Amino acid sequence: MVTWNNLDTLKSYDKLKELKGHVDIKEAMAGENGAKRVAEYTVPMASGLNFNYAAKQVDDEVLNVLAELAEEQQLVDKFEELYNGAVINTGEQRLVLHHLARRQLGKDVIVDGVNKRDFYVEQQKKAADFANKVHAGEITNEAGEKFTTVVQIGIGGSDLGPRALYIALENWAKTNGFDKMEAKFISNVDPDDAAAVLNSIDVSRSLFIVVSKSGTTLETLTNEAFVKDALVKAGLNPSKHMLTATSETSPLAKSDDYLEAFFMDDFIGGRYSSVSAVGGVILSLAFGPEVFARILNGMADEDKLATNKNIKENPDLLDALIGVYERNVQGYPETAVLPYSQALSRFPAHLQQCDMESNGKSVNRFGEPVNYVTGPIIFGEPGTNGQHSFYQLLHQGTDIVPLQFVGFKDSQIGTDVVIEGSTSQKKLCANVTAQIVAFACGKDDENKNKNFEGGRPSSIIIGDQLTPESLGSLLAHFENKIMFQGFLWNVNSFDQEGVQLGKLLAKRVLAHDTDGALKAYSDLFEI
């Protein structure tokens, strides 16, 4: 039986606080000591990835206390309760089942007589069958032409995760013969977003997926109407071009406006829904169902590692523990996610939502204020672009920002040339290697403008190549890290009340039900 306790009530947390500043990373990473740490401070992940934390401010003493913290807060036990169907989302009194959609973990979870594992598999099969028929030309437009483009209409979790995954594999798919259809995304209610996408495609040969669990999302329904208008103006029947991914109880579920409906449920939150119909339909159409299945396999393999109570063999748990040490003991307010892979250009944006919407909470699971900081600010850009942008502050600014690098030995496409004695990929890998050491060790200079203090912690996830499996494992790693940190902080990581107030006020503005500052700002926009 697990118990839910605030972080500041734990004896191991008191011990951890005594270790603030315990490790001088500049000294620890210097010379042969640094080489030894790089070799030893590595944990294997799934799909050939490795989590290396040599440049973090930890040693065996810190790690031992972190292990005590994980045990005292029952982190793995809570994970087991989650995937076996406990009501973990206390804010909405819901189960949390995105791991179950990966099919591998835990017991069958039965809700109202429905086996949820079977439900998720059924929807994945439905998406796969539909995609295969589209690719084979069994489902066509009214002129008998094959569909060539699929457009996702959604926002938040209905956009960020699937978009990040599509971009991550787009060039890999083209190189390896898995590019079945081009995918586009419309999310912003700004009409320029939808107009730009519509202007870039042949609408007569395009499918549009309307993604909204409730079927009432303002931005999504507005963009749906925008697209329907474009289809009608092109002389097309919208119902022959539009699909929906929604809940079985939403107003979209049984509508004749859609060629097909795919279902999700309340137990997979939007930011975790890439494994559901939200990601499954568009990725199966874009790359083929087998590629989507490979992503899920990579996630499932990483999930298995997250059940290990030995923190040195559980990379997701270890990353979470180190992050809480940095946030709550070291006092670092941000974390930068820095993928040295152009394919992961939208991955930090997805993690911004996944992390900040999950753990951006100031009350615990019981609605009581907490007396400690919780989720960090997440930001990032791919290297080496970021080096020529915000790395100045990371190296010499007044705040220390923990860094999470991601890098791969080989490129996805394989096209490269030797320039000045090395390939572009080798130059990319050399840059990330140099940055880790530069941040940790710095550089002394009598000219203070050129002095680098160092002592700036980082970790790196390294793999051979970004593939569907390694992408899935990478995503699961961060999802599980966020989950474990939410358990540590004793917050509910699976609701998002913080996004609701603005929605409600926007509806009041559009209904002209305003006064005070709300009316004044409305008048400025002439709404």
Side-chain angles (χ1 to χ4, degrees):
M1 183 71 180
V2 301
T3 56
W4 300 91
N5 300 301
N6 283 1
L7 178 66
D8 58 0
T9 67
L10 305 177
K11 294 179 179 179
S12 50
Y13 178 58
D14 290 334
K15 292 175 65 175
L16 193 64
K17 288 189 292 184
E18 295 175 3
L19 297 175
K20 181 177 181 178
H22 176 71
V23 175
D24 182 343
I25 197 64
K26 184 173 182 177
E27 178 181 327
M29 286 294 289
E32 289 306 310
N33 287 337
K36 184 180 179 183
R37 282 178 67 93
V38 172
E40 292 180 355
Y41 280 37
T42 295
V43 181
M45 296 171 57
S47 306
L49 299 173
N50 287 282
F51 173 63
N52 186 286
Y53 58 101
K56 288 292 192 181
Q57 291 167 302
V58 299
D59 60 8
D60 288 345
E61 186 174 356
V62 175
L63 292 172
N64 288 338
V65 178
L66 290 176
E68 292 178 26
L69 185 65
E71 182 65 26
E72 186 177 2
Q73 193 67 315
Q74 301 172 287
L75 299 182
V76 173
D77 296 319
K78 288 171 181 173
F79 180 33
E80 184 177 355
E81 288 219 345
L82 180 150
Y83 63 70
N84 281 324
V87 178
I88 297 295
N89 179 353
T90 51
E92 298 168 314
Q93 291 302 302
R94 291 175 179 170
L95 290 66
V96 177
L97 298 181
H98 53 277
H99 296 90
L100 192 66
R102 274 101 91 161
R103 301 188 299 279
Q104 301 300 315
L105 287 178
K107 306 170 185 175
D108 286 344
V109 177
I110 311 298
V111 181
D112 296 330
V114 176
N115 185 315
K116 300 309 296 185
R117 190 195 310 271
D118 290 347
F119 170 77
Y120 299 136
V121 171
E122 175 188 322
Q123 294 305 310
Q124 289 162 9
K125 185 178 185 303
K126 185 177 181 180
D129 290 344
F130 183 85
N132 286 332
K133 289 178 181 178
V134 171
H135 298 155
E138 296 175 31
I139 296 175
T140 65
N141 67 9
E142 291 175 283
E145 300 168 320
K146 291 180 71 171
F147 290 109
T148 58
T149 303
V150 55
V151 181
Q152 183 115 316
I153 305 171
I155 197 164
S158 300
D159 168 75
L160 287 164
R163 188 194 295 250
L165 296 182
Y166 173 75
I167 292 172
L169 293 179
E170 181 180 12
N171 288 321
W172 174 89
K174 291 175 180 176
T175 302
N176 292 279
F178 290 103
D179 53 330
K180 307 294 185 181
M181 298 175 72
E182 182 181 27
K184 300 276 189 176
F185 297 83
I186 298 172
S187 58
N188 200 330
V189 75
D190 181 343
D192 288 344
D193 188 16
V197 170
L198 291 171
N199 288 339
S200 71
I201 63 175
D202 179 353
V203 294
S204 71
R205 302 187 67 178
S206 298
L207 287 168
F208 299 86
I209 311 170
V210 180
V211 184
S212 172
K213 184 188 297 183
S214 66
T216 61
T217 310
L218 174 66
E219 295 93 335
T220 300
L221 296 184
T222 300
N223 281 324
E224 178 190 16
F226 197 109
V227 168
K228 283 184 174 179
D229 181 67
L231 288 167
V232 170
K233 287 178 177 176
L236 302 168
N237 180 351
S239 68
K240 302 298 184 182
H241 290 260
M242 304 202 80
L243 318 170
T244 185
T246 190
S247 69
E248 292 179 289
T249 57
S250 94
L252 310 182
K254 304 301 180 184
S255 172
D256 293 333
D257 291 345
Y258 305 103
L259 187 61
E260 186 60 271
F262 305 90
F263 298 123
M264 60 182 101
D265 62 26
D266 288 333
F267 307 130
I268 299 180
R271 55 196 175 276
Y272 300 101
S273 63
S274 294
V275 297
S276 74
V278 172
V281 178
I282 188 167
L283 294 173
S284 293
L285 285 166
F287 302 135
E290 63 272 28
V291 172
F292 181 62
R294 290 171 63 180
I295 296 171
L296 296 187
N297 289 339
M299 300 186 83
D301 288 344
E302 187 67 23
D303 289 341
K304 290 175 186 175
L305 297 179
T307 64
N308 194 325
K309 289 191 175 183
N310 183 343
I311 70 168
K312 293 183 180 181
E313 297 176 1
N314 185 335
D316 309 354
L317 177 57
L318 180 57
D319 196 2
L321 289 161
I322 293 172
V324 168
Y325 176 60
E326 291 174 333
R327 183 78 174 106
N328 294 88
V329 177
Q330 302 292 79
Y332 304 143
E334 303 98 9
T335 297
V337 180
L338 308 170
Y340 274 63
S341 167
Q342 187 60 28
L344 293 175
S345 60
R346 291 297 291 170
F347 199 70
H350 172 53
L351 291 184
Q352 281 179 337
Q353 185 202 16
C354 200
D355 199 314
M356 295 169 73
E357 197 168 80
S358 294
N359 291 334
K361 310 289 173 65
S362 56
V363 299
N364 67 14
R365 293 168 52 79
F366 311 109
E368 304 160 342
V370 296
N371 298 315
Y372 45 84
V373 295
T374 58
I377 297 166
I378 303 294
F379 69 97
E381 280 288 322
T384 56
N385 296 34
Q387 292 177 204
H388 296 267
S389 175
F390 51 80
Y391 278 36
Q392 168 62 45
L393 184 148
L394 299 183
H395 276 293
Q396 292 183 306
T398 53
D399 280 317
I400 291 179
V401 179
L403 314 168
Q404 292 203 293
F405 292 102
V406 179
F408 300 92
K409 299 172 188 176
D410 300 319
S411 65
Q412 281 190 319
I413 299 175
T415 302
D416 208 343
V417 293
V418 175
I419 300 172
E420 296 182 356
S422 62
T423 64
S424 295
Q425 185 67 24
K426 292 298 183 187
K427 289 179 173 64
L428 180 70
C429 295
N431 268 278
V432 68
T433 299
Q435 290 296 329
I436 294 170
V437 176
F439 280 115
C441 298
K443 180 179 74 74
D444 295 329
D445 198 300
E446 291 182 3
N447 181 343
K448 294 304 179 183
N449 194 52
K450 296 182 179 181
N451 189 68
F452 291 76
E453 291 292 337
R456 306 198 173 215
S458 69
S459 63
I460 183 167
I461 295 173
I462 303 174
D464 291 329
Q465 188 185 50
L466 185 59
T467 64
E469 290 84 1
S470 61
L471 177 63
S473 297
L474 187 67
L475 178 57
H477 170 85
F478 283 103
E479 287 186 357
N480 293 335
K481 172 190 174 182
I482 292 162
M483 172 194 69
F484 283 130
Q485 289 187 331
F487 292 162
L488 279 160
W489 288 314
N490 198 28
V491 299
N492 177 14
S493 301
F494 303 106
D495 66 4
Q496 55 284 332
E497 293 301 326
V499 305
Q500 302 303 325
L501 178 59
K503 292 181 181 180
L504 295 174
L505 292 180
K507 289 180 179 179
R508 284 183 55 193
V509 170
L510 291 170
H512 301 286
D513 175 23
T514 57
D515 55 20
L518 200 60
K519 184 178 188 307
Y521 279 115
S522 302
D523 291 342
L524 289 178
F525 281 102
E526 300 179 358
I527 297 172

